[in-house]
Amino acid sequence: MTTANNTWIHRLLGMAAIATAMAYSSVALADDKLGEAATNPVANLVSFRMQYQNSPSMNNASGSSQAGIIQVVAPFTTESEAVPLWVTRWTLPWIQTPNIPGVGKEKGLSDLSGLIFAVPDFGLQGHTIALGASVGIPTAGDNEFTGSGQWTLGPAAVYLNTQTAGLQWGALAFQNWDVASARNDAADVSNFNFQPILTKHFEGGWYVGAPDLPQTYNFETEHWTTNIGAQVGRIFPWGKQPVQVFGAVYYNASSDKDVIDAEWTVKFNLSLLLPK
């Protein structure tokens, strides 16, 4: 049996183990609010997320694209009454491209991206507004296929409505502009990202929701990348460790003959939740 086949078998077995744990864990959450905090982008909850993403169907390229993603959410509190909470989210992918015409497959570290939010206390019951910044650090180095080669910066904002028990809705938006080049041939960057938030929680820690990937507009290429789909997940204790597990399927409805883009994407997530 080939190494590639072995790799896929190991991935499938790992996913099956996670799904089994999700389905048969009968231990109740210590705090029902933990579930809603896990799907709130600006909650006061530390989490360590491990994700695998696969796009088996691509526009203008053959083969699949894959990504292994590490994401750390690290909030911290202050003594300020006006802004008692700050939330930072750092994301670092490792990417394998599809077969790019004339190039083949490329792989390597991608750029480190960060979202930094101030969460003011406006005294609005059931409403959360957060303002901050989006940061991009060119950790991909000279690999033009996995990173932008640019330092980027821009504004970010979140609105979240939790007035209805078990229902969260709102939006996350951020913009990236290049501010300094790390590679001489790096293209300019100007991307707008908009992520609708819609999550419904159920008993037992289960939930369904809209994609956690944003809809992105590239002002340089005048191209949209959309992510239409859904995710199903659960927050539950794995032994004594609270975890969040979800699987998702997304479809990119925006195809462009001049852009290599994913058509379909599947994603699996395992998060370790560290409530204070």
Side-chain angles (χ1 to χ4, degrees), residues 14-28 203-207 232-238 243-247:
M15 294 170 190
I18 292 171
T20 302
M22 285 177 65
Y24 292 101
S25 176
S26 60
V27 183
E203 293 183 0
W206 291 95
Y207 70 90
V232 178
R234 192 181 183 201
I235 295 93
F236 62 96
W238 199 336
V243 298
Q244 174 192 18
V245 177
F246 72 74

Side-chain angles (χ1 to χ4, degrees), residues 189-275:
V189 173
S190 180
N191 295 325
F192 173 70
N193 302 268
F194 180 80
Q195 179 185 325
I197 299 170
L198 180 61
T199 308
K200 175 60 179 176
H201 288 266
F202 302 95
E203 293 183 0
W206 291 95
Y207 70 90
V208 296
D212 68 329
L213 296 177
Q215 321 304 316
T216 301
Y217 182 71
N218 187 325
F219 286 94
E220 298 297 326
T221 62
E222 299 182 342
H223 173 69
W224 275 103
T225 299
T226 60
N227 292 290
I228 301 171
Q231 57 175 296
V232 178
R234 192 181 183 201
I235 295 93
F236 62 96
W238 199 336
K240 294 183 178 181
Q241 173 62 57
V243 298
Q244 174 192 18
V245 177
F246 72 74
V249 178
Y250 313 128
Y251 173 67
N252 177 16
S254 301
S255 60
D256 189 322
K257 65 179 181 179
D258 298 322
V259 176
I260 295 177
D261 237 345
E263 291 183 303
W264 288 95
T265 298
V266 294
K267 186 175 186 178
F268 300 93
N269 172 90
L270 171 63
S271 301
L272 304 180
L273 308 177
L274 304 171

Side-chain angles (χ1 to χ4, degrees), residues 22-108:
M22 285 177 65
Y24 292 101
S25 176
S26 60
V27 183
L29 288 172
D31 184 352
D32 290 339
K33 292 184 179 180
L34 180 61
E36 294 187 12
T39 57
N40 178 347
V42 288
N44 187 13
L45 176 66
V46 178
S47 65
F48 179 76
R49 302 173 180 175
M50 296 162 285
Q51 301 178 341
Y52 171 70
Q53 186 170 296
N54 187 294
S55 299
S57 177
M58 305 291 296
N59 291 321
N60 306 311
S62 62
S64 64
S65 172
Q66 302 181 73
I69 304 167
I70 297 296
Q71 190 174 83
V72 177
V73 180
F76 60 92
T77 57
T78 72
E79 296 183 358
S80 169
E81 294 183 2
V83 186
L85 176 65
W86 291 75
V87 178
T88 68
R89 185 173 77 187
W90 298 96
T91 304
L92 183 62
W94 183 92
I95 293 175
Q96 178 180 284
T97 71
N99 285 309
I100 302 170
V103 176
K105 282 185 176 288
E106 293 289 333
K107 58 186 176 181

